[in-house]
């Protein structure tokens, strides 16, 4: 009669040790491929960082030299072979950038709120989201040509045309970030507000927007950082102005076009001013990105 204990023992799966299952050649092959891939990744990173650091170092050296030697903040852009600064271009860029932000940011915020909270798969929401994606990927020069045909052709170049072109760049960025940030708000918060009898408009204004406030602020700052260095739209809209002017109804000076004009000139002092203007734009974009990252991290920590 067979022993049941022996049969039960033989029915159990046979355990093999690690050495029996270990394939040394396959393991070594995977290690070599891993090291090769890691080496390519590190090489690509080092290659990109080298050129980035080289560009930034050259920009800081050349631009800081102009900031020290020339009256950048106290004089207007000069005629050829004469001393001058960038006061009119700095003031004009600030006016254009803030005007474009104040026009585009509210429209982008309201559109993003509609897509996240009210569209609910409607045809209008789908069309709006599709058009926003197209506008987000459109080249800035195409936006400049559109505003040129709409406002400048047959009239004259103006600061308002430049501000509207910048606003069209701000809108899709703010729409995308607003919709994404509001979608990250948990539905449990909305359900709790509904359970307390909160109307829809109060839910949006006092609950979801407040919960996503840090993300919305970050999106607006990133959009503002993007338009500070745009050149192509301003070439067709605001153009440039050698003199100091705050009239938005006429051509107005700005840093991007000043860089474009001065960098192509044969005059050394214009080249120095172009480096200084490029450094100012780089610093402003850097500060805005650091501020946006700080606000975003602070909102996540809360």
């Amino acid at each position: 009669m067979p022993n049941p204990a022996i049969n039960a023992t033989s029915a159990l799966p046979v355990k093999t040790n690690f050495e029996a299952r270990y394939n040394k050649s396959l393991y070594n092959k995977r290690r070599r491929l891993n090291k090769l891939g890691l080496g390519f990744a590190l090489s690509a990173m080092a290659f990109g960082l080298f050129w980035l650091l080289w560009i930034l170092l050259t920009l800081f050296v050349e631009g800081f030299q102009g900031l020290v030697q020339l009256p950048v903040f106290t004089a207007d852009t000069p005629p050829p072979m004469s001393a001058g600064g960038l006061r009119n271009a700095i003031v004009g860029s600030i006016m254009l950038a803030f005007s474009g932000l104040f026009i585009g940011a509210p429209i982008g915020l309201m559109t993003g709120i509609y897509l996240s909270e009210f569209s609910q798969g409607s045809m209008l929401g789908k069309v709006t989201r599709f058009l926003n994606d197209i506008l987000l990927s459109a080249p800035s020069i195409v936006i400049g040509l559109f505003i040129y045909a709409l406002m400048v052709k047959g009239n004259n170049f103006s600061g308002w045309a430049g501000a509207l072109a910048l606003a069209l760049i701000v809108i899709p960025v703010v729409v995308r970030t607003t919709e994404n940030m509001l979608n990250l708000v948990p539905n449990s918060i909305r359900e709790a507000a509904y359970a307390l009898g909160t109307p829809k408009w109060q839910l949006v204004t006092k609950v979801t927007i407040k919960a996503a406030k840090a993300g919305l602020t970050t999106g607006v700052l990133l959009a503002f950082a993007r338009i500070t260095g745009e050149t192509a739209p301003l070439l067709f809209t605001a153009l440039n102005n050698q003199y100091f002017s705050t009239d938005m109804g006429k051509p107005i000076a700005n840093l991007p076009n000043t860089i474009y004009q001065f960098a192509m000139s044969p005059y050394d002092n214009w080249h120095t001013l172009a480096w200084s203007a490029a450094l100012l734009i780089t610093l402003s974009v850097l500060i805005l990105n650091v501020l946006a990252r700080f606000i975003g991290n602070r909102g996540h920590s809360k």
Side-chain angles (χ1 to χ4, degrees), residues 216-295:
L216 302 184
T217 306
T218 301
V220 172
L221 288 176
L222 291 177
F224 185 60
R226 179 180 175 182
I227 64 174
T228 53
E230 286 290 346
T231 305
L234 301 181
L235 281 171
F236 297 96
T237 53
L239 199 60
N240 208 345
N241 193 342
Q242 182 181 344
Y243 305 101
F244 185 87
S245 175
T246 57
D247 187 1
M248 293 287 287
K250 296 180 180 179
I252 190 170
N254 54 87
L255 287 175
N257 279 342
T258 300
I259 296 172
Y260 174 76
Q261 178 183 354
F262 283 15
M264 295 172 55
S265 70
Y267 310 111
D268 293 336
N269 64 323
W270 278 21
H271 292 168
T272 305
L273 286 174
W275 281 111
S276 301
L279 178 60
L280 291 176
I281 291 179
T282 303
L283 290 176
S284 64
V285 173
L286 178 62
I287 292 172
L288 287 172
N289 278 274
V290 171
L291 183 60
R293 179 64 63 88
F294 173 76
I295 294 175

Side-chain angles (χ1 to χ4, degrees), residues 189-213:
I189 296 179
R190 296 181 176 88
E191 293 170 357
Y194 281 134
L196 294 174
T198 306
K200 181 70 173 181
W201 67 272
Q202 285 189 346
L203 168 69
V204 173
T205 56
K206 296 184 179 181
V207 179
T208 55
I209 290 180
K210 189 175 181 180
K213 180 173 62 176

Side-chain angles (χ1 to χ4, degrees), residues 18-32:
F18 175 75
E19 288 75 11
R21 293 182 286 112
Y22 174 65
N23 190 336
K24 188 173 182 180
S25 61
L26 180 61
Y27 175 72
N28 291 332
K29 179 181 178 181
R30 289 176 176 176
R31 283 192 63 183
R32 288 193 297 269

